[in-house]
Amino acid sequence: MKANDPEDRQLRITPRWEVACSTAPGRLVAAGVPGAAQADMARAQGWDDWHFADNYRRFAPLEDVDFVYRTAFRAPELRPGESLWLCSKGIDYQCEVSLNGRFLASHEGALSPVEVRLDPAISEGENILEIKVLKAPKKEGAPEGREQASHCCKPPVSYGWDWHPRLIPTGICDDTAIVVRRAAWLGDVAFKYVLSPDFSRADLRVNSEVCGREDGVFLTFSLKDSSGREVLSRRAEAKEDITAVLSNPRLWWTRDHGDPYLYNYEVVLHGLNGEVLDVRSGAAGFRRVRLVMNEGSWDKPEGSPKSRSDAPAQLELNGRRIFLKGANWVCPDVFPGLVDEGRLRSLLDLAVGAGFNVLRCWGGCMPEKDAFYDMCDALGILVWQEFPLACNRYPDDESYLGVLAREARALVARLRNHPCLAIWCGGNELFNSWSGMDDQSLALRLLGSICLEMDPRTPFLPTSPLTGMAHGNYLFRDGDSEVYQWMPASSFTAYVEFGVPSLAPLPVLKAIIPENELFPVRPTAAWVAHHAFGAWDGKPGTWLGEETLRHYFGPASSLEELIAQSSLLQGEGYKAIYEEARRQKPHCSMALCWMFNEPWPAAANNSIISWPDRPKAAYSDVSAACRPRLASAAFSRFSWRAGEEFPLALWLLDDTFGQPSESLEIKAFISPEGASSGEVLVGTWQTPPTADNTNLRGPIVRVELPSWPGASRLRVSLRVSGRPELDSTYILAYNP
Amino acid sequence: MKANDPEDRQLRITPRWEVACSTAPGRLVAAGVPGAAQADMARAQGWDDWHFADNYRRFAPLEDVDFVYRTAFRAPELRPGESLWLCSKGIDYQCEVSLNGRFLASHEGALSPVEVRLDPAISEGENILEIKVLKAPKKEGAPEGREQASHCCKPPVSYGWDWHPRLIPTGICDDTAIVVRRAAWLGDVAFKYVLSPDFSRADLRVNSEVCGREDGVFLTFSLKDSSGREVLSRRAEAKEDITAVLSNPRLWWTRDHGDPYLYNYEVVLHGLNGEVLDVRSGAAGFRRVRLVMNEGSWDKPEGSPKSRSDAPAQLELNGRRIFLKGANWVCPDVFPGLVDEGRLRSLLDLAVGAGFNVLRCWGGCMPEKDAFYDMCDALGILVWQEFPLACNRYPDDESYLGVLAREARALVARLRNHPCLAIWCGGNELFNSWSGMDDQSLALRLLGSICLEMDPRTPFLPTSPLTGMAHGNYLFRDGDSEVYQWMPASSFTAYVEFGVPSLAPLPVLKAIIPENELFPVRPTAAWVAHHAFGAWDGKPGTWLGEETLRHYFGPASSLEELIAQSSLLQGEGYKAIYEEARRQKPHCSMALCWMFNEPWPAAANNSIISWPDRPKAAYSDVSAACRPRLASAAFSRFSWRAGEEFPLALWLLDDTFGQPSESLEIKAFISPEGASSGEVLVGTWQTPPTADNTNLRGPIVRVELPSWPGASRLRVSLRVSGRPELDSTYILAYNP
């Protein structure tokens, strides 16, 4: 809230907080707000870097501890009609607020704001405000792990995941201040609009919740374009919706399809004499987002008896069916409260660099802070936002549903005005056996109802995957099947999760693994803690995948070599999946890798960005595979021998619109990797003329693989005459 | 409403109505209320039986005509605080109400009641009340057929279906009266309860909408058991929910699993001095209905990438997983307003006789009148109730959604207190290509929201089929595949629709087909009008299926023979499907044939009851296949020859609970049908001990088929020693 106060009066106090375990209330330490009590304790006690080895286990005893945040402040003088409030955007997870020893309120849920009126309990001198944050919720009788959070809205990832240590943060996790409120102030402001079918007009309806007194106050509204020019202004009564028509709105597009053009709206609440009581402003982008049926989906299932057709998974932006390329976004830190704008900025710049037009904010984690969505608005990245339910069976009982409803309403109110917000989703993999929820689960029916009521024009999925969509696989090679086989054998509308693991870059490993354990890699406490062994689904090889690496490359002689092997598989694996998903367009419309980032430095993981924001080698492969247009080759396997016939299926992958049609000349070469000579032309393809959003399927060219003594990698190079930005390279295993 | 009026004062006037086309308002004819204007016109003008030949076409011009219902009445004297209302439970489809020439109200939708206050416009002498019923809605530009109703809540079946003539009724279709209301009266009364997990208590919450004045009035509530003994009584303020706990409620069961035990509740609204202002009473049955995951559904899909598991389709009644056996119920008449309790009673008695425990009230039709649900409550038949959406793409636009919301709310309020009401469903086959709706369609999201809000403990399906469920096939033989092949090759959780057609019984045919067209059967106007030819999906043979009959039996020499052939296929076909679906238990949990009844006398149709309530020959086969326990045999095809090896897979199908365990001796015989000798014992199976709700799979017994000169049918008889009620018979085609 930025109030345009004519007297420049202090309206917000952001006090300094201290925090203590409730068992030792006197031992107060400085609290980072926003942040997490556990991080404060570690800092105050000078713990060694908890990212190192298995130091994080030191946090375990803090799971079952209450914390008390405390601040002392002098209350500002209040004028008639004014009131004093504690306003927090998020306290994780349950809290009790008291002032000068007097209990004022309790709250559950980190997504719904905590707003507590203070002035009736205020003293003249120093006031002591305390927020007691209760210990982490744990479902009685549940085994250690995510199920302990299956009765509440606490994101389950903190209870331990195959890429997240068990470390459960609690505390004040978002902006928190003591606020003077005038006689009236703005609550939720819903900026809604409907675009006409031809996008030539936007019918705006702005609904502003006016709190406090409603009589004698009025609203003004203005909309400015990106140059600051006012294009609309209105005045309305406090209870009235503001309506207006904007002609020929400039549309908001994802970065790969246009300009993420933003207007700015401002709602001002005025008092009797026109004085400003409160102001709310935000970015406004005009776009129409729908999920429509994928090409070919109506033709299935065939025959009789017949079940239903697939669920729609084709995103349509402003009437254009676009292919979604992106990744799964998880909490950028084990302590979400510590994630600042700088971290978000560097991660989102990497998402842009990868050519992504969408991020799926995965349901096991806490939804992000406002800055994330502001940046996505500005960067032109769509957001698939999940509610914090994942891989658990959340119950039908009233008390859980009550908290969920409040949390969900708060999240929808906070995000629905963002043009980036493209899809609401109930949570992760809830219709699969390991979760055990289904179409009748009341929590998901409730979330669907709330989204329909509050944001009806944004698509809603009860969970992912739905019929026709897929999650998995998460390995380069599983049993005898490689990405080169299972992807072409699949036919899904949307690959919402797929992963290929790799080791972290060397500097990351050196920072988290004791030096004497670095090589040979073995399941020591540090490697296990950092997910290199036995992390996932009972597969001992995850996520290091040593058996797979050995299968292709034999034993590695150094950690550097092992990292290179693992990075090669991750890079080529991701390239193979993204490109094959794109080949399956238009039936397929989406490819999101699992996962983009990670909450702490994993030693081995499917992420393409190592914590906090260091790209792995595979990042550039993903970026290459996600270019709007590129030459592409499909292979049938990874390992090849001299003398074998090597077939290469040539493609031009093309998600562009509005480019001039042209015929391209694509030449395919092979060469021994790393060598400057020995390149062989396999074939040349003169493509037919390009057309909007249309892949071109080329010939399969073949060559008998030469014998290149000493070479162990085969490089495939596709070169597009005069258009080097469309060139592609692949590296495969080779045996001379 | 039955008011217990101490002064025995006239509270309801049910006037005599007349009706005229609005183009000739003077030509008034007697109106049947409830009924339909078209039926009144036909009766008044002495039209020939419109069921005969293609006489129904005479109604066509009445589609585009408005009708005016008119009645004259003297208003009763009103005491202070009283008001006079027109109260109609249903006017189909759009109307305008005026009194003494003064427009009072308009209304759209036959499911939401029309309630119009009259007294402000009343005169002292005679009053003329008029209800103008507008012509049938038709979507502009839509081709003739169901799409003409794709923009509104008018059930689409009347616009023509493969078993329904195009004949679109309009008019007053449910109870309608002029009512004196006291100062306060009861609106919607929601009788809700939650059963404890062990069913030992019911926590009741009765929410009564009090209309008119709320101050100074109060409510009393009583619950009586079936013997009339009061088991609970409460008093509450007008705005208060009535809450109470019933210990050890006697549970309501479907007829095949117990007793459909009913309590009776009564809510009385009292005035200041305790006088009775209004009374609402109804049957109350205590049961918990859920849809849970089918056995084995969590194991699928296998492998990776992986989509979702099937939607739950296993009904659980009071904690017991029961197999649903039933049928699809359609409007018992082309004019739903004409269906009276007698018709409903005879049809529902036939449903009981068939051994059904569920009826699916299909979404293409108008939901039934109250009497239907009252009878299902009492008979122990569950109801799967759909909203009136079928096979169309209903739009996302505000005006449609507004009407749909009002209609849906009215339907849910009307039915949710019924213990028979087991499943809400958005409508028929909406997630299939011929409809074109999908998971994002706002109409279905809206219906889900309304059901969640108003009736959260009743399962909701957006449509049928969902993932794992199936509709179809509707033929005994399609291409080269017979029911004996496609059923065992299928593996669905629920067979929600399947059909096998047959000719109507001879007396029905004689009543609808001109005598000189009866035989040989050919596509004359009468046969075509009555769905014998080209009725379905572009298949010229539907529904007579002459090609299939000829394939098995050669040409028939008389209509009687043709009927017998067709009835044999229908009976054996339905038996094969019901029994195979039951064999697939527990993964399969539901078998509902398409269809039970029909709205007019079809010459050929999948129904097992010919209009109005005449069982076809196959009815007894369906009844046999739906017995709770029976000996069953599976075959691989229909036609056999002497000398072939004839394998018979023996089963005991058993949906019973609580029966003493026993081992049964089942003998399988074959014989030439119709002959008194020639029976051959094929095999004997001594079953293992029976167990609750558990089918037993027996051996496959085999015999070389004897040569029975002159025989053309093979009879298979299963006889259970000492338990003739479990015996089964099958008739197959045989060639000596």
Side-chain angles (χ1 to χ4, degrees):
Chain A
M1 188 178 79
K2 276 199 224 161
N4 175 17
D5 187 78
E7 298 173 32
D8 195 23
R9 194 151 166 272
Q10 173 90 33
L11 287 179
R12 286 175 72 87
I13 304 165
T14 48
R16 295 184 58 178
W17 293 88
E18 295 178 298
V19 66
C21 293
S22 64
T23 48
R27 262 186 257 160
L28 285 157
V29 306
V33 171
Q38 292 77 4
D40 297 332
M41 293 292 149
R43 188 173 47 237
Q45 295 171 29
W47 291 3
D48 290 341
D49 180 12
W50 64 267
H51 298 101
F52 186 76
D54 62 347
N55 288 353
Y56 80 94
R57 293 188 195 277
R58 196 151 172 196
F59 284 102
L62 298 184
E63 282 179 7
D64 298 315
V65 170
D66 297 342
F67 293 97
V68 179
Y69 283 76
R70 178 193 162 102
T71 191
F73 71 98
R74 285 185 181 275
E77 205 177 308
L78 299 177
R79 293 181 298 199
E82 291 184 336
S83 52
L84 192 70
W85 293 75
L86 168 69
C87 292
S88 175
K89 286 164 96 174
I91 300 177
D92 184 10
Y93 169 79
Q94 281 175 285
C95 69
E96 296 165 2
V97 177
S98 59
L99 183 64
N100 301 324
R102 179 173 154 199
F103 170 84
L104 294 181
S106 63
H107 186 86
E108 178 176 353
L111 295 176
S112 47
V114 180
E115 304 209 337
V116 182
R117 186 162 175 180
L118 303 177
D119 52 283
I122 216 90
S123 298
E124 284 232 338
E126 196 180 56
N127 288 277
I128 304 296
L129 178 62
E130 288 188 329
I131 302 175
K132 181 177 179 179
V133 177
L134 306 188
K135 63 185 180 190
K138 291 182 186 172
K139 189 182 174 185
E140 227 181 284
E144 183 165 302
R146 65 175 190 247
E147 265 185 71
Q148 289 176 301
S150 67
H151 66 310
C152 65
C153 297
K154 175 89 174 153
V157 77
S158 319
Y159 293 74
W161 221 267
D162 60 273
W163 44 271
H164 192 298
R166 181 178 175 99
L167 203 175
I168 313 176
T170 57
I172 304 177
C173 62
D174 208 342
D175 295 345
T176 298
I178 296 165
V179 177
V180 176
R181 281 175 164 166
R182 303 277 171 75
W185 65 94
L186 291 167
D188 177 34
V189 171
F191 179 86
K192 298 182 178 176
Y193 59 86
V194 176
L195 286 167
S196 62
D198 67 353
F199 306 104
S200 68
R201 60 181 267 169
D203 285 86
L204 277 65
R205 177 174 293 272
V206 182
N207 175 272
S208 307
E209 185 191 4
V210 174
C211 309
R213 63 184 289 183
E214 284 186 348
D215 53 312
V217 301
F218 66 93
L219 299 161
T220 57
F221 167 80
S222 84
L223 186 72
K224 291 179 177 156
D225 67 17
S226 67
S227 71
R229 191 175 60 89
E230 187 170 81
V231 294
L232 280 177
S233 69
R234 288 288 184 278
R235 180 191 158 122
E237 297 309 309
K239 290 193 171 176
E240 217 182 339
D241 280 1
I242 295 156
T243 57
V245 173
L246 180 65
S247 294
N248 299 309
R250 205 166 143 187
L251 297 178
W252 183 95
W253 287 95
T254 53
R255 201 178 185 82
D256 52 339
H257 285 283
D259 191 17
Y261 189 85
L262 294 177
Y263 293 78
N264 204 277
Y265 71 87
E266 187 175 69
V267 174
V268 182
L269 179 66
H270 301 267
L272 273 170
N273 305 312
E275 74 277 18
V276 173
L277 300 177
D278 201 356
V279 178
R280 186 70 52 83
S281 63
F286 295 94
R287 88 288 180 272
R288 196 186 71 195
V289 162
R290 306 196 304 176
L291 280 178
V292 299
M293 290 294 279
N294 290 60
E295 196 77 30
S297 277
W298 284 131
D299 304 334
K300 297 191 289 185
E302 292 179 340
S304 182
K306 195 189 286 294
S307 188
R308 57 161 293 177
S309 293
D310 287 345
Q314 168 68 60
L315 192 111
E316 191 196 80
L317 176 64
N318 303 332
R320 178 183 290 185
R321 290 169 164 244
I322 68 173
F323 193 96
L324 291 189
K325 289 168 288 201
N328 283 272
W329 171 279
V330 299
C331 38
D333 204 285
V334 161
F335 296 113
L338 293 179
V339 178
D340 58 14
E341 293 195 16
R343 181 99 64 95
L344 294 171
R345 165 67 61 190
S346 60
L347 286 169
L348 289 173
D349 282 347
L350 286 167
V352 168
F356 291 166
N357 53 22
V358 71
L359 291 170
R360 173 180 178 234
C361 290
W362 177 77
C365 295
M366 183 95 86
E368 294 302 323
K369 293 179 182 177
D370 291 339
F372 174 85
Y373 306 94
D374 290 339
M375 291 178 197
C376 289
D377 287 346
L379 293 170
I381 296 176
L382 295 168
V383 173
W384 164 327
Q385 180 63 53
E386 303 201 340
F387 292 94
L389 294 81
C391 298
N392 273 325
R393 184 169 182 176
Y394 297 89
D396 286 350
D397 73 54
E398 300 292 339
S399 66
Y400 168 70
L401 296 174
V403 178
L404 178 66
R406 192 176 58 228
E407 291 281 278
R409 286 181 173 280
L411 185 65
V412 176
R414 179 158 75 87
L415 303 191
R416 64 179 162 183
N417 294 352
H418 285 278
C420 66
L421 201 283
I423 295 173
W424 289 110
C425 177
N428 181 65
E429 294 171 3
L430 300 170
F431 290 170
N432 289 90
S433 58
W434 48 93
S435 295
M437 297 181 82
D438 62 47
D439 309 65
Q440 300 304 329
S441 294
L442 294 185
L444 302 178
R445 294 185 61 196
L446 176 67
L447 293 173
S449 280
I450 288 171
C451 287
L452 180 70
E453 177 200 332
M454 297 182 67
D455 192 17
R457 299 283 160 184
T458 299
F460 173 81
L461 310 173
T463 189
S464 180
L466 290 180
T467 311
M469 307 174 182
H471 284 200
N473 201 334
Y474 303 91
L475 298 169
F476 186 89
R477 180 168 186 265
D478 190 15
D480 284 336
S481 179
E482 296 172 327
V483 292
Y484 301 99
Q485 292 107 45
W486 65 255
M487 266 305 294
S490 300
S491 172
F492 291 95
T493 55
Y495 296 90
V496 181
E497 289 190 5
F498 53 83
V500 184
S502 77
L503 279 166
L506 188 62
V508 173
L509 294 176
K510 286 185 168 169
I512 58 173
I513 307 292
E515 201 179 345
N516 62 349
E517 296 177 12
L518 276 169
F519 195 78
V521 179
R522 53 205 186 276
T524 63
W527 283 103
V528 169
H530 289 272
H531 321 298
F533 293 94
W536 178 62
D537 206 20
K539 306 213 181 202
T542 55
W543 287 115
L544 171 59
E546 211 178 2
E547 197 187 334
T548 298
L549 298 174
R550 211 179 286 258
H551 169 81
Y552 290 118
F553 308 114
S557 59
S558 68
L559 183 56
E560 287 79 353
E561 191 183 347
L562 200 67
I563 292 171
Q565 292 170 353
S566 154
S567 300
L568 175 62
L569 290 194
Q570 188 182 37
E572 292 301 325
Y574 272 138
K575 233 188 292 180
I577 302 170
Y578 275 107
E579 293 185 18
E580 177 58 27
R582 293 182 65 176
R583 282 180 207 116
Q584 293 176 17
K585 188 178 82 171
H587 181 59
C588 175
S589 60
M590 204 184 290
L592 312 185
C593 79
W594 181 269
M595 53 208 281
F596 181 61
N597 58 327
E598 58 188 26
W600 80 322
N605 191 11
N606 287 316
S607 62
I608 55 171
I609 309 293
S610 196
W611 182 89
D613 53 9
R614 179 194 293 265
K616 292 181 175 177
Y619 171 80
S620 62
D621 296 298
V622 170
S623 304
C626 290
R627 285 171 290 166
R629 182 190 278 180
L630 69 149
S632 168
F635 315 99
S636 55
R637 57 186 148 91
F638 183 63
S639 272
W640 297 88
R641 289 175 175 279
E644 283 185 320
E645 188 188 68
F646 179 62
L648 272 174
L650 298 180
W651 287 74
L652 185 77
L653 303 181
D654 197 345
D655 295 342
T656 65
F657 285 80
Q659 301 296 318
S661 180
E662 57 186 327
S663 169
L664 298 167
E665 186 192 63
I666 302 177
K667 287 182 188 294
F669 300 90
I670 55 167
S671 59
E673 210 249 327
S676 58
S677 65
E679 188 168 86
V680 176
L681 175 67
V682 182
T684 301
W685 173 36
Q686 188 72 37
T687 75
T690 58
D692 277 1
N693 197 29
T694 303
N695 294 331
L696 299 176
R697 180 180 205 141
I700 298 174
V701 296
R702 293 161 203 276
V703 67
E704 189 185 305
L705 287 178
S707 178
W708 291 312
S712 63
R713 304 277 189 279
L714 162 63
R715 171 190 296 271
V716 177
S717 303
L718 304 183
R719 296 203 201 110
V720 185
S721 307
R723 303 293 294 277
E725 74 277 14
L726 306 183
D727 291 357
S728 295
T729 303
Y730 308 85
I731 309 290
L732 304 173
Y734 170 80
N735 192 328
Chain B
M1 189 177 78
K2 276 199 223 159
N4 174 16
D5 188 78
E7 298 173 34
D8 196 23
R9 194 149 168 274
Q10 174 89 37
L11 287 180
R12 285 176 72 87
I13 305 165
T14 47
R16 294 183 60 179
W17 294 88
E18 295 177 300
V19 65
C21 293
S22 63
T23 48
R27 264 187 252 156
L28 285 157
V29 306
V33 170
Q38 291 76 4
D40 297 331
M41 291 293 148
R43 188 172 50 240
Q45 294 170 32
W47 290 3
D48 288 342
D49 180 12
W50 65 268
H51 299 101
F52 186 76
D54 62 347
N55 288 353
Y56 79 94
R57 295 188 193 275
R58 195 153 172 196
F59 284 102
L62 298 185
E63 282 180 8
D64 299 315
V65 170
D66 298 340
F67 292 97
V68 179
Y69 284 76
R70 178 192 162 103
T71 190
F73 71 98
R74 283 182 182 276
E77 206 178 309
L78 298 177
R79 292 180 300 196
E82 290 185 337
S83 53
L84 192 69
W85 294 74
L86 166 70
C87 293
S88 174
K89 287 165 96 173
I91 299 176
D92 185 11
Y93 170 77
Q94 282 174 284
C95 69
E96 295 165 2
V97 178
S98 59
L99 184 63
N100 301 325
R102 180 174 151 197
F103 170 82
L104 294 182
S106 63
H107 186 86
E108 178 175 353
L111 295 175
S112 47
V114 179
E115 305 208 338
V116 182
R117 187 160 175 182
L118 302 177
D119 51 283
I122 215 91
S123 297
E124 285 230 338
E126 193 179 60
N127 288 276
I128 304 298
L129 178 61
E130 288 188 331
I131 301 176
K132 180 177 179 180
V133 176
L134 307 189
K135 63 187 178 187
K138 291 183 188 172
K139 187 181 173 187
E140 225 181 285
E144 184 164 301
R146 64 176 190 247
E147 266 184 71
Q148 289 176 302
S150 66
H151 66 311
C152 66
C153 298
K154 175 90 175 154
V157 77
S158 318
Y159 293 74
W161 221 268
D162 59 273
W163 43 270
H164 191 298
R166 181 176 176 102
L167 203 176
I168 314 175
T170 56
I172 304 177
C173 62
D174 208 342
D175 294 346
T176 298
I178 295 165
V179 177
V180 176
R181 279 176 166 165
R182 303 275 172 76
W185 64 95
L186 290 168
D188 178 33
V189 172
F191 179 87
K192 298 181 178 178
Y193 59 87
V194 176
L195 286 166
S196 62
D198 66 353
F199 306 103
S200 68
R201 60 180 267 169
D203 285 86
L204 276 65
R205 177 175 293 274
V206 182
N207 174 272
S208 306
E209 183 192 8
V210 174
C211 309
R213 65 184 288 183
E214 284 187 349
D215 54 310
V217 302
F218 66 94
L219 299 161
T220 57
F221 167 81
S222 85
L223 185 73
K224 293 178 176 156
D225 67 16
S226 68
S227 71
R229 190 175 61 91
E230 187 170 81
V231 294
L232 280 176
S233 68
R234 288 288 183 280
R235 179 192 157 120
E237 298 309 309
K239 290 192 171 177
E240 217 182 339
D241 279 2
I242 294 156
T243 58
V245 173
L246 180 66
S247 294
N248 299 311
R250 204 164 144 189
L251 297 178
W252 184 94
W253 288 95
T254 53
R255 201 180 185 83
D256 51 340
H257 286 281
D259 192 16
Y261 189 83
L262 293 177
Y263 293 78
N264 204 276
Y265 71 87
E266 186 175 71
V267 174
V268 182
L269 178 67
H270 302 268
L272 274 170
N273 305 312
E275 74 276 18
V276 172
L277 300 178
D278 202 357
V279 178
R280 186 71 52 82
S281 63
F286 294 94
R287 88 286 179 275
R288 196 187 71 194
V289 163
R290 304 197 305 175
L291 280 179
V292 298
M293 289 293 281
N294 290 59
E295 196 79 29
S297 277
W298 283 132
D299 305 334
K300 295 191 288 186
E302 292 179 341
S304 183
K306 193 188 287 293
S307 187
R308 57 161 295 176
S309 292
D310 286 346
Q314 169 67 62
L315 193 112
E316 192 196 79
L317 177 64
N318 303 331
R320 180 183 289 185
R321 289 168 165 246
I322 68 173
F323 193 97
L324 291 189
K325 288 168 288 200
N328 284 272
W329 172 280
V330 298
C331 40
D333 205 284
V334 162
F335 295 112
L338 293 179
V339 178
D340 59 15
E341 294 193 19
R343 179 98 63 94
L344 293 171
R345 165 66 62 191
S346 60
L347 286 169
L348 288 172
D349 283 345
L350 287 166
V352 168
F356 291 165
N357 53 21
V358 70
L359 292 170
R360 172 179 178 236
C361 290
W362 177 78
C365 295
M366 183 95 85
E368 293 302 323
K369 293 179 182 176
D370 291 339
F372 175 84
Y373 306 94
D374 290 338
M375 290 178 195
C376 288
D377 287 346
L379 293 171
I381 296 176
L382 295 169
V383 173
W384 164 327
Q385 180 63 51
E386 304 201 341
F387 293 94
L389 293 81
C391 300
N392 273 327
R393 184 170 183 176
Y394 296 90
D396 285 350
D397 74 54
E398 299 292 338
S399 66
Y400 167 69
L401 296 173
V403 177
L404 178 65
R406 191 176 58 229
E407 291 282 279
R409 286 181 172 281
L411 185 65
V412 176
R414 179 158 76 88
L415 302 191
R416 65 178 162 184
N417 294 352
H418 286 277
C420 66
L421 202 283
I423 296 174
W424 290 110
C425 178
N428 181 66
E429 294 171 4
L430 300 170
F431 289 170
N432 289 89
S433 57
W434 47 94
S435 295
M437 296 181 83
D438 62 49
D439 308 64
Q440 300 303 331
S441 295
L442 294 184
L444 303 178
R445 295 184 61 197
L446 176 68
L447 293 172
S449 281
I450 289 171
C451 288
L452 180 70
E453 176 201 331
M454 298 182 67
D455 193 16
R457 301 283 159 183
T458 298
F460 172 81
L461 310 173
T463 189
S464 180
L466 290 180
T467 311
M469 309 174 180
H471 284 198
N473 202 332
Y474 303 92
L475 297 170
F476 186 88
R477 181 169 186 267
D478 190 14
D480 283 338
S481 181
E482 295 173 326
V483 293
Y484 302 99
Q485 292 108 43
W486 66 256
M487 266 307 290
S490 301
S491 173
F492 291 96
T493 55
Y495 297 90
V496 181
E497 290 190 4
F498 53 83
V500 184
S502 78
L503 279 167
L506 188 61
V508 174
L509 294 176
K510 286 187 168 167
I512 59 175
I513 307 292
E515 201 178 345
N516 62 351
E517 297 176 11
L518 276 170
F519 195 80
V521 178
R522 57 206 184 273
T524 63
W527 283 103
V528 170
H530 289 271
H531 320 298
F533 293 93
W536 178 62
D537 206 21
K539 305 208 182 208
T542 55
W543 288 116
L544 170 59
E546 211 178 2
E547 198 188 335
T548 298
L549 299 173
R550 209 180 287 256
H551 168 82
Y552 291 117
F553 308 115
S557 60
S558 68
L559 183 57
E560 287 79 352
E561 191 183 346
L562 199 68
I563 293 171
Q565 293 169 352
S566 154
S567 300
L568 175 62
L569 290 193
Q570 187 182 38
E572 292 301 326
Y574 272 138
K575 233 189 290 179
I577 302 171
Y578 275 108
E579 293 186 17
E580 176 58 27
R582 294 182 63 175
R583 282 178 207 117
Q584 294 176 16
K585 187 178 82 169
H587 181 61
C588 175
S589 61
M590 204 184 289
L592 313 185
C593 79
W594 181 268
M595 53 211 275
F596 182 62
N597 58 326
E598 58 188 26
W600 83 319
N605 190 11
N606 287 316
S607 62
I608 56 172
I609 308 293
S610 195
W611 182 89
D613 53 10
R614 179 195 293 264
K616 293 181 173 178
Y619 171 80
S620 63
D621 296 297
V622 170
S623 305
C626 290
R627 284 172 290 168
R629 184 188 277 182
L630 69 148
S632 169
F635 316 98
S636 55
R637 59 185 149 90
F638 183 64
S639 272
W640 298 88
R641 287 175 175 282
E644 284 184 320
E645 187 188 68
F646 180 62
L648 271 174
L650 298 180
W651 288 73
L652 185 76
L653 302 181
D654 196 345
D655 296 340
T656 66
F657 286 78
Q659 301 296 318
S661 180
E662 58 185 326
S663 169
L664 299 166
E665 186 190 65
I666 302 177
K667 288 182 187 292
F669 300 90
I670 55 167
S671 58
E673 210 249 328
S676 59
S677 64
E679 187 167 86
V680 176
L681 175 67
V682 182
T684 302
W685 174 36
Q686 188 71 36
T687 75
T690 57
D692 276 0
N693 196 29
T694 303
N695 294 331
L696 299 175
R697 181 181 202 139
I700 298 174
V701 296
R702 294 162 202 276
V703 67
E704 188 185 305
L705 287 178
S707 179
W708 292 312
S712 63
R713 303 277 190 279
L714 161 65
R715 172 189 296 268
V716 177
S717 304
L718 304 182
R719 296 202 202 111
V720 185
S721 307
R723 304 292 295 278
E725 74 278 15
L726 307 182
D727 291 357
S728 294
T729 302
Y730 308 85
I731 309 291
L732 305 173
Y734 170 81
N735 192 326

